Amino acid sequence: MLEYNTIWFFIDYEMSEMELVMRKKRFIAIFALLIILMLAACSNTTQNVTDAEDEELSSGEILANSLDYLLSGEDNDNVTDEEEDTEKIEVTVYYGNGASQELNNEITKMDELSAENLIDALGRHNIVSLGTKVNSFEAQDIDGVITLFLDLSKTFREYLKTMTKEGENVIISSVAATFLEAYGAEGIVITIDGDTLETGHAVYEEPIRYAPEQSLVPENE
């Protein structure tokens, strides 16, 4: 009986040791698993933070680049405007003041000096009708004197015929003064479709020059 109990005791003892070992192994496995999970979580957190920082940095770079672009564009616009203003030329346009034979004038800017641009500028002051076209224009140096030859459409003549003598005088003087000053010329011949300008008030066969103290002065006087 004693021998049987002794054997059973040893069996129980060995089983207890085996169970203890198994518990230790399970504990080590669980502990190792927890460490792995914690490391993984830390790694994900670090990666997320890194990605967020990268994303934030990228957004900041985009914002900075956009701001630089806008400022650069504004500077370019200012430079472009200044260049455009520099490239434009200034001319003096003469027109009637409605109260006397004296003329008013204003300085206007245009891309280039041309007969068409001058006629357009005069049209804005009702010196010529809006339908007036430039058929041809040239400047000639005759014996050291620059004379302009301006041929206009018949619309200009018909417009003059609706004016009084005084009104016609203001219109002719305004056209002459504007062209003569713009081109530095001394006289201008105005024709209509290649023919002499006749209005019913006057026949303009000779070159015309403008003097501030007089509205209209024939060059040969």
Side-chain angles (χ1 to χ4, degrees):
M1 187 67 178
L2 178 59
E3 185 178 355
Y4 175 77
N5 290 336
T6 302
I7 294 172
W8 182 255
F9 171 76
F10 282 113
I11 292 174
D12 287 342
Y13 178 76
E14 290 179 0
M15 290 181 65
S16 297
E17 281 194 350
M18 291 178 62
E19 184 176 357
L20 182 60
V21 171
M22 290 298 294
R23 287 181 179 178
K24 288 182 178 180
K25 287 183 178 181
R26 283 198 298 271
F27 175 77
I28 293 173
I30 292 172
F31 183 75
L33 180 60
L34 289 174
I35 292 176
I36 292 173
L37 291 174
M38 291 175 65
L39 291 175
C42 291
S43 177
N44 290 336
T45 302
T46 303
Q47 184 64 36
N48 291 336
V49 171
T50 303
D51 292 341
E53 289 177 351
D54 292 341
E55 183 177 356
E56 183 178 357
L57 181 60
S58 298
S59 300
E61 289 177 348
I62 293 173
L63 181 60
N65 292 336
S66 299
L67 183 59
D68 290 341
Y69 175 77
L70 291 175
L71 293 175
S72 175
E74 184 177 348
D75 292 339
N76 290 335
D77 289 341
N78 292 334
V79 171
T80 302
D81 292 339
E82 291 175 359
E83 290 177 350
E84 288 179 354
D85 289 339
T86 303
E87 292 174 357
K88 290 182 180 295
I89 62 173
E90 293 184 347
V91 297
T92 302
V93 177
Y94 289 86
Y95 57 94
N97 61 19
S100 69
Q101 293 291 302
E102 295 180 358
L103 301 181
N104 290 338
N105 67 79
E106 72 170 10
I107 296 176
T108 184
K109 292 183 179 181
M110 53 185 62
D111 294 330
E112 62 176 348
L113 179 60
S114 69
E116 289 79 7
N117 286 340
L118 290 178
I119 290 297
D120 288 343
L122 288 166
R124 289 193 287 272
H125 292 284
N126 297 319
I127 295 302
V128 301
S129 60
L130 295 179
T132 301
K133 303 296 181 184
V134 176
N135 295 327
S136 64
F137 174 78
E138 65 175 335
Q140 294 182 7
D141 189 337
I142 302 175
D143 298 329
V145 177
I146 299 177
T147 302
L148 307 177
F149 294 85
L150 175 65
D151 187 59
L152 301 174
S153 62
K154 64 180 181 180
T155 308
F156 180 63
R157 180 182 60 206
E158 300 306 316
Y159 183 63
L160 285 174
K161 287 182 177 181
T162 66
M163 301 294 168
T164 63
K165 181 176 174 55
E166 291 75 16
E168 178 181 317
N169 208 31
V170 169
I171 289 174
I172 294 296
S173 296
S174 298
V175 173
T178 299
F179 273 80
L180 293 177
E181 182 168 328
Y183 286 95
E186 296 185 29
I188 181 171
V189 177
I190 302 175
T191 55
I192 302 298
D193 292 335
D195 297 326
T196 300
L197 172 59
E198 298 182 21
T199 65
H201 296 299
V203 178
Y204 301 92
E205 294 180 311
E206 300 297 326
I208 303 161
R209 67 182 177 88
Y210 173 76
E213 67 277 5
Q214 294 175 285
S215 295
L216 194 62
V217 182
E219 191 176 41
N220 57 359
E221 287 189 2

